[in-house]
Amino acid sequence: MKKYINKLALSICLLGFITPAFAQSADEIFRAVGSPHNPKVQISFNRYYTAEGHAALTKKIADAHPNLVKRVSIGKSYEGRDMWMLQITNFEKGEADRKPGFYIDGNIHSNEIQGAEISIYTAWYLTENYGDVDYITKMLDDRIFYIIPTINPDARNDYMKQPNTGSSPRSGMIPLDDDRDGLFDEDAPDDLDGNGSITQMRRKSSTGNFILDPKDPRKMIVVGVDDNVPANVQRYEMLGQEGIDNDGDGLVNEDRVGYYDPNRDWAWKWQPDYIQRGAYKYPFSVPENRNVADFVLAHPNIAGGQSYHNSGGMILRGPGAQEDLSTYNRADIRIYDAIGRKGEKIMPGYNYLVVYKDLYSVFGGELDWMYGSRGIYTFSNEIFTRFAYYKNNEGGQNLNYDIDTELLMGDAFEPWKPYNHPTYGEIEIGGFKKNFGRATPGFMLEEELHRNMAFTLYHAYHMPNLSIPEVKEKDLGGGLREITAYIQNDRLMPTHASQDLKYKIERPDFISISGVDVQAGMVVDNEDRDFTREQKTEPQKLRIDNIPGNSIVKVRWIVSGRGKYTITVDSAKGGIVSR
């Protein structure tokens, strides 16, 4: 009986439900710089997790660090899954939702899976390093992170558990009638060879315009008009992705899951589907996006944001469309540029780009809604670049085959094999599997996660950081005193982005004094020349439009009484500080 109990315990440990009793002791481990040492939560970052896997990991992290993490559901997905968020800060210091907040999400497109892993890695790294690494400790004392690993959990599971290509599904799981025949999602690709991926179909044909590469039978070569192909060389025609005509309409794979694009659903410069392909019914008609928007709207402390996509190695900022160019003014672009260019250094092979100018036009994107509607400095990273394979930009048309052979030991390619197709007859099926191309290979994944996290933490570090470094007093006689306070913001980001100031999205910052009788209050524009602007109503609580980055705002009160006083700065995005 004992051996069966031991086997059961081992199985439970391997499944990750408890910390293995045979985990290494401290004298068996040498710490690698930059990584948590013997963490409370053991996670393998050389693989990907389903929506249920991520739900379990968020619970483990929250359970292991109750003083740093609150795990909440911000709502349900279309298919009824909880959208789990980890709120991470030192909850024992300050009021959590009054600290400058940083929002992170990933996986809005279901096949773009790395973003969820980066989000989990970030939560794990922050919590496991708190108290050990000063940078992280200070970050969680002063800031709060709102992390949703996947905002498309339904379709993430579909991508992983159902037959797909590396690029499908991009949509969510709300059924649509793509071919307008009255049926919904009835003719998706079919996994004819049962390997879990949708690869390619080819057929021998005397008039085909492909031949086998004589050096590599995996590869098909296009026959050019001037190529002299010997008569004895077998020609092929390519028939597209694996599938059959499921609905008998003469077409193959024409009504797959979706199609709508969740990242064309946000309420900023939204356009209908006939203008912006992928738009759904109206802004926030996708329930997962509505849940995110409701949360962000309820948290005016969010000053920075990051959304993770794949692929191509890009650090993207708005605007998404040229029509929106005036939204991003020079002052805010300087901040975006400083952070984005630092990202190019942190993530070799990545390029800092502007969506409309360097990629394509996007209407109704999350990136623009976060900044345009909420004044939140937001980036969208396209995770993974082919540069990472050989640490250069060389490659050409054989690169994927070289990678499969030299780095992945043949694991990425499904060899061609015969199949009797009901429409096409004798064909062959083969090609690259769905987990190759866009998804980072396991042996490279942790580096990818760490570098993207490091960029995001740099962004979060430069949210407003307010202090009151100096207060001066001057006796005016007659029982009056002049009190001048210096309010410093020593980070890049102001307490109000230009877009925020333009549309008055958030309230002003308040600088107040208590404990004395205030006779007058004013903003000091030029201390040397004694230029001030008086606030005649409620002078004890001065309203400040903005505290710019890397600057000092000076305020002054004329007060009576000799009691002790307290000066408090109250900023929606900059937090609360007192002296």
Side-chain angles (χ1 to χ4, degrees):
M1 175 62 73
K2 183 177 179 180
K3 69 176 182 179
Y4 294 113
I5 294 174
N6 288 339
K7 286 183 178 180
L8 176 61
L10 176 61
S11 298
I12 293 173
C13 289
L14 291 175
L15 287 171
F17 293 118
I18 62 175
T19 301
F22 48 84
Q24 287 89 351
S25 62
D27 63 353
E28 296 175 314
I29 299 171
F30 180 73
R31 180 173 187 169
V33 66
S35 295
H37 182 58
N38 207 16
K40 293 181 180 179
V41 180
Q42 300 283 344
I43 303 175
S44 295
F45 288 108
N46 62 350
R47 65 198 66 182
Y48 296 96
Y49 297 87
T50 64
E52 290 77 16
H54 277 296
L57 290 175
T58 59
K59 187 174 189 307
K60 287 182 182 181
I61 293 171
D63 288 348
H65 303 279
N67 296 331
L68 298 176
V69 183
K70 288 185 179 178
R71 179 179 182 257
V72 299
S73 172
I74 67 163
K76 299 284 188 180
S77 67
Y78 172 75
E79 292 183 343
R81 291 180 175 85
D82 280 302
M83 294 177 63
W84 292 110
M85 169 185 281
L86 293 180
Q87 301 180 2
I88 303 178
T89 188
N90 178 1
F91 283 96
E92 296 180 345
K93 183 176 181 179
E95 185 180 348
D97 285 340
R98 291 307 320 277
K99 299 177 183 180
F102 197 93
Y103 171 84
I104 299 172
D105 71 33
N107 202 195
I108 190 171
H109 294 131
S110 52
N111 64 307
E112 299 182 358
I113 56 178
Q114 294 101 313
E117 266 59 42
I118 296 173
S119 300
I120 286 290
Y121 182 86
T122 302
W124 174 80
Y125 193 91
L126 288 171
T127 53
E128 297 293 349
N129 278 305
Y130 183 85
D132 288 338
V133 177
D134 290 344
Y135 179 82
I136 300 299
T137 303
K138 187 76 165 62
M139 189 84 77
L140 294 189
D141 283 346
D142 297 343
R143 278 131 168 63
I144 183 168
F145 289 82
Y146 303 110
I147 302 176
I148 310 177
T150 174
I151 58 173
N152 195 350
D154 300 343
R156 178 183 182 86
N157 271 13
D158 185 272
Y159 166 78
M160 290 183 169
K161 296 182 178 183
Q162 300 301 320
N164 279 292
T165 71
S167 299
S168 70
R170 183 179 169 88
S171 181
M173 298 305 293
I174 301 173
L176 291 179
D177 179 12
D178 295 337
D179 55 353
R180 301 184 181 183
D181 63 354
L183 303 174
F184 293 79
D185 298 347
E186 80 285 354
D187 197 359
D190 303 276
D191 184 14
L192 302 179
D193 59 359
N195 70 342
S197 292
I198 298 299
T199 53
Q200 298 293 310
M201 302 187 295
R202 72 184 187 190
R203 180 171 61 182
K204 294 177 181 178
S205 170
S206 60
T207 58
N209 59 350
F210 288 85
I211 61 172
L212 296 181
D213 185 338
K215 296 181 180 180
D216 189 342
R218 297 171 301 174
K219 184 183 174 187
M220 306 295 294
I221 299 176
V222 179
V223 177
V225 293
D226 296 325
D227 291 339
N228 184 17
V229 179
N232 63 339
V233 173
Q234 180 64 61
R235 288 174 174 259
Y236 291 84
E237 60 179 325
M238 301 303 295
L239 301 173
Q241 296 173 356
E242 279 183 83
I244 60 175
D245 179 11
N246 291 286
D247 55 357
D249 65 355
L251 301 174
V252 176
N253 302 341
E254 85 286 354
D255 196 352
R256 54 183 70 209
V257 172
Y259 174 79
Y260 59 93
D261 187 332
N263 201 34
R264 306 295 184 268
D265 180 63
W266 301 79
W268 184 262
K269 306 294 182 180
W270 183 90
Q271 296 287 347
D273 183 72
Y274 65 85
I275 295 176
Q276 173 59 77
R277 176 69 176 120
Y280 194 38
K281 296 178 180 178
Y282 45 81
F284 296 132
S285 53
V286 175
E288 295 87 351
N289 295 355
R290 178 76 263 178
N291 293 336
V292 171
D294 287 344
F295 180 86
V296 173
L297 288 166
H299 290 78
N301 62 315
I302 296 175
Q306 176 69 53
S307 180
Y308 292 116
H309 296 237
N310 82 27
S311 60
M314 291 175 266
I315 305 163
L316 298 174
R317 72 157 174 90
Q322 188 170 7
E323 292 89 331
D324 203 20
L325 189 58
S326 62
T327 300
Y328 292 72
N329 77 358
R330 186 176 301 174
D332 283 348
I333 289 174
R334 282 199 295 265
I335 295 168
Y336 273 110
D337 286 351
I339 299 172
R341 287 168 184 155
K342 177 68 74 170
E344 290 182 320
K345 178 182 179 182
I346 292 171
M347 298 179 289
Y350 279 61
N351 293 301
Y352 167 54
L353 305 171
V354 179
V355 175
Y356 90 89
K357 181 166 64 74
D358 301 312
L359 201 58
Y360 46 68
S361 291
V362 172
F363 296 95
E366 181 185 19
L367 181 69
D368 284 322
W369 180 80
M370 293 282 279
Y371 176 76
S373 179
R374 307 309 306 153
I376 298 169
Y377 294 94
T378 307
F379 288 94
S380 177
N381 286 11
E382 296 286 351
I383 309 304
F384 194 55
T385 168
R386 290 156 67 93
F387 173 91
Y389 284 115
Y390 295 105
K391 307 302 182 184
N392 60 47
N393 287 313
E394 300 174 7
Q397 59 182 353
N398 291 318
L399 180 61
N400 285 347
Y401 298 93
D402 292 343
I403 294 165
D404 181 45
T405 300
E406 298 168 355
L407 296 176
L408 304 177
M409 318 310 158
D411 188 38
F413 192 88
E414 188 70 34
W416 294 97
K417 49 184 171 289
Y419 182 83
N420 187 13
H421 194 279
T423 302
Y424 300 133
E426 291 298 325
I427 66 169
E428 295 176 1
I429 299 172
F432 286 101
K433 301 173 185 176
K434 68 181 179 183
N435 58 352
F436 174 73
R438 298 179 71 104
T440 311
F443 79 97
M444 306 169 74
L445 185 56
E446 187 162 357
E447 179 183 355
E448 190 87 57
L449 308 185
H450 187 90
R451 288 185 181 276
N452 275 271
M453 178 202 68
F455 165 71
T456 296
L457 293 188
Y458 179 81
H459 183 182
Y461 174 84
H462 277 291
M463 293 190 300
N465 187 59
L466 305 182
S467 63
I468 310 172
E470 185 178 4
V471 177
K472 291 182 179 179
E473 289 191 30
K474 180 180 179 181
D475 192 336
L476 301 179
L480 297 176
R481 284 182 293 168
E482 177 187 279
I483 299 173
T484 302
Y486 299 75
I487 315 304
Q488 183 174 11
N489 177 8
D490 62 0
R491 303 295 162 81
L492 281 173
M493 291 162 54
T495 55
H496 295 74
S498 299
Q499 182 73 352
D500 185 347
L501 293 174
K502 182 178 180 181
Y503 291 104
K504 294 179 169 52
I505 296 171
E506 298 297 347
R507 62 166 174 81
D509 301 323
F510 299 129
I511 305 175
S512 59
I513 188 169
S514 60
V516 289
D517 294 325
V518 177
Q519 306 303 316
M522 60 208 74
V523 176
V524 180
D525 291 327
N526 188 314
E527 187 176 14
D528 295 321
R529 297 191 175 190
D530 202 25
F531 290 167
T532 63
R533 285 177 288 119
E534 184 181 2
Q535 180 179 302
K536 295 185 178 181
T537 60
E538 292 189 282
Q540 74 279 6
K541 186 178 182 180
L542 299 174
R543 295 181 294 277
I544 307 298
D545 290 336
N546 193 27
I547 304 175
N550 291 328
S551 68
I552 290 179
V553 169
K554 303 172 186 177
V555 296
R556 179 175 294 161
W557 295 276
I558 308 299
V559 306
S560 58
R562 292 295 173 183
K564 294 182 178 180
Y565 57 86
T566 300
I567 297 172
T568 300
V569 183
D570 181 349
S571 170
K573 286 181 166 57
I576 301 174
V577 294
S578 296
R579 172 167 172 166

